[in-house]
Amino acid sequence: MSLAANSNEPSSGLLRLLAVDDNFESAELIARIGTACGYETKPVTDPRTIPEILEDWKPQVVTLDLCMPYKDGFSILTTLQEVGFKGSLIVISGQNDWLRKAACELAEINGIEVTSHLQKPINLGALRDLLNTIRLVG
């Protein structure tokens, strides 16, 4: 997977997907699905690196786990707002449905477009469908 991390524009014209999950396997799986759907992807397991990646790499889609060490998904929502993220957010978490919905509502209140939320373990078909829909609309 070749990433143009220093460029502000995707090198291939593909949409960029940032998969944020402290579990390496989950982040990698989401990135692989994104690549298969035609995205340039970057899996990230350390949420402390998110501000810099958002500024430098400028993804159009972010998948976000809610429960992570150092910075949870709710603090990442604040970061997305602060950097002016204008892409699509997909919350992917093993937490209860009400917590995923609360995260989505908070994001929307703060001006972040939420595409959907998914329960872990991830339904790969549902994720594929979401990513394909975003790619076609984008």
Side-chain angles (χ1 to χ4, degrees):
M1 191 174 351
S2 172
L3 300 175
N6 294 327
S7 170
N8 286 338
E9 296 298 322
S11 58
S12 58
L14 301 176
L15 292 180
R16 291 180 172 168
L17 176 126
L18 181 64
V20 181
D21 196 309
D22 62 308
N23 180 288
F24 177 79
E25 288 80 16
S26 291
E28 283 288 319
L29 176 62
I30 294 165
R32 282 195 309 273
I33 297 295
T35 299
C37 290
Y39 287 80
E40 186 175 354
T41 63
K42 183 181 292 244
V44 175
T45 58
D46 185 347
R48 297 173 293 185
T49 64
I50 299 304
E52 182 179 336
I53 293 169
L54 289 170
E55 289 285 340
D56 294 343
W57 199 58
K58 303 198 184 316
Q60 290 86 14
V61 179
V62 172
T63 64
L64 180 62
D65 185 16
L66 294 179
C67 292
M68 298 178 286
Y70 310 115
K71 284 185 127 181
D72 63 23
F74 287 92
S75 64
I76 299 299
L77 292 177
T78 301
T79 302
L80 290 171
Q81 180 189 22
E82 289 171 352
V83 301
F85 177 71
K86 296 298 180 203
S88 298
L89 175 69
I90 302 171
V91 173
I92 301 177
S93 177
Q95 298 304 308
N96 292 330
D97 187 61
W98 67 266
L99 188 61
R100 292 191 315 274
K101 286 180 181 177
C104 292
E105 289 173 12
L106 179 62
E108 289 174 339
I109 287 168
N110 289 308
I112 299 167
E113 177 189 325
V114 178
T115 300
S116 189
H117 64 90
L118 298 173
Q119 173 75 41
K120 283 183 181 179
I122 302 167
N123 177 323
L124 300 181
L127 178 58
R128 231 180 261 115
D129 290 347
L130 281 172
L131 294 177
N132 284 328
T133 300
I134 293 168
R135 190 174 47 78
L136 294 174
V137 172

